[in-house]
Amino acid sequence: MSSTTKALTLLSHFSTKRPEIGLSQLCRLAGRDKATTYRHLQALETAGFVEQNPATKHYRLGPAIMHLAQVREATVPRETGAINVIKELADATGETAHVTVLSGSTLYGLSACESPHHATRAVIDINIFPLHATASGLCALAFGPEDLFQTALTKMENFTSATPATPEALADLVAHIRLTGFGQADQIYEDEIQAIAAPVFDHTGNFAGAVAVASVASRFTSELEKTIKAELTIAAHEITRNWGGVIPAQIEKAWAASTTHSNTLEPTS
């Protein structure tokens, strides 16, 4: 990994839940020493990608990020094409809905909407989605570029006791997803959270990201699963259309079979 890449990856640790990060905390998050992290932060600060809060001396995203975000949204309006869809999805399912986008070999969170139907609900508080341990990530492995699988194998962190821990276990999950058209994650990233995701495509005809619903496990039933899958197919069609794409015929066929019959979440080990 180049020095430039290492510096830029520091930006992925900032989020709406963590808008400011001190040097020592960022060292822990990135797994790097203080001298290297500080040097990278100085380079990012010079370019306007981060700035220091004068009061706290913590780092936050800089004005250059805002400019690039505005350019990105103006030229590739992904969030605009998804936000209303996931609001409707959250309302229809009563659970948290969110959208991710694939950039290179990284799956980023784009937007999320929590349903007001329940006091206890899933909270999406990550920016980068592990490919092997989230419903959206598994969708990317099943329907995205083939080399993503090898990328996932290099980052197979165990998040829970159910997280797939071997290449064979992960391959089995991906194979099942290709048959059903849905990525399913039964408490493999967080205990007590179950999620289902559907792939979305853009004008290139390629996998562009995923739309997903995350539910508190104690609320998850076969009836809720049917509802989520039915609503996900609607949402995936709408987002794909808004992004200029078309759902591939084989996925349409898999969805039709999967939503006709009750499919229980398969074990991950």
Side-chain angles (χ1 to χ4, degrees):
M1 186 184 294
S2 69
S3 179
T4 300
T5 301
K6 289 180 179 178
L8 290 173
T9 56
L10 292 177
L11 300 175
S12 67
H13 296 291
F14 293 91
S15 69
T16 55
K17 302 288 185 181
R18 191 166 52 209
E20 294 190 3
I21 308 175
L23 176 59
S24 296
Q25 183 185 11
L26 193 55
C27 290
R28 291 194 297 272
L29 291 169
R32 302 175 196 170
D33 62 80
K34 184 170 289 188
T36 300
T37 304
Y38 181 66
R39 185 172 67 254
H40 289 160
L41 284 169
Q42 284 186 308
L44 292 171
E45 189 171 17
T46 298
F49 290 120
V50 299
E51 62 184 13
Q52 269 190 303
N53 182 327
T56 65
K57 301 303 181 184
H58 289 180
Y59 290 89
R60 60 194 180 194
L61 295 179
I65 294 292
M66 181 181 297
H67 170 69
L68 292 176
Q70 290 172 339
V71 172
R72 169 71 181 187
E73 186 61 19
T75 56
V76 188
R78 296 294 170 92
E79 187 169 12
T80 301
I83 186 65
N84 288 333
V85 179
I86 62 169
K87 286 179 179 178
E88 293 175 358
L89 180 60
D91 186 59
T93 62
E95 303 295 342
T96 298
H98 60 98
V99 179
T100 52
V101 290
L102 181 67
S103 179
S105 61
T106 304
L107 192 66
Y108 294 97
L110 178 66
S111 188
C113 181
E114 296 177 20
S115 170
H117 294 193
H118 303 285
T120 303
R121 47 190 180 256
V123 176
I124 309 302
D125 58 358
I126 55 174
N127 288 333
I128 296 178
F129 285 66
L131 296 173
H132 71 297
T134 59
S136 298
L138 292 171
C139 253
L141 295 182
F143 306 113
E146 292 184 3
D147 58 1
L148 283 183
F149 191 83
Q150 292 303 316
T151 299
L153 294 183
T154 67
K155 303 176 181 179
M156 289 188 68
E157 179 180 350
N158 280 330
F159 294 101
T160 73
S161 61
T163 305
T166 66
E168 294 76 17
L170 185 59
D172 286 345
L173 272 179
V174 171
H176 179 69
I177 290 163
R178 287 179 178 145
L179 289 176
T180 65
F182 294 102
Q184 298 191 239
D186 183 359
Q187 304 178 78
I188 64 176
Y189 179 69
E190 288 183 279
D191 289 320
E192 301 305 320
I193 297 295
Q194 295 194 196
I196 305 178
V200 293
F201 300 81
D202 63 13
H203 65 285
T204 67
N206 296 319
F207 174 89
V211 57
V213 172
S215 170
V216 175
S218 60
R219 268 200 310 271
F220 196 86
T221 64
S222 59
E223 286 304 312
L224 179 57
E225 180 182 1
K226 291 178 183 177
T227 298
I228 290 173
K229 286 183 175 180
E231 295 297 334
L232 276 175
T233 61
I234 296 171
H237 277 112
E238 291 183 4
I239 295 173
T240 294
R241 182 174 61 253
N242 291 343
W243 290 2
V246 176
I247 302 293
Q250 68 270 25
I251 294 178
E252 294 274 22
K253 184 177 180 180
W255 284 348
S258 188
T259 54
T260 299
H261 304 92
S262 177
N263 292 283
T264 56
L265 293 172
E266 294 217 337
T268 58
S269 61

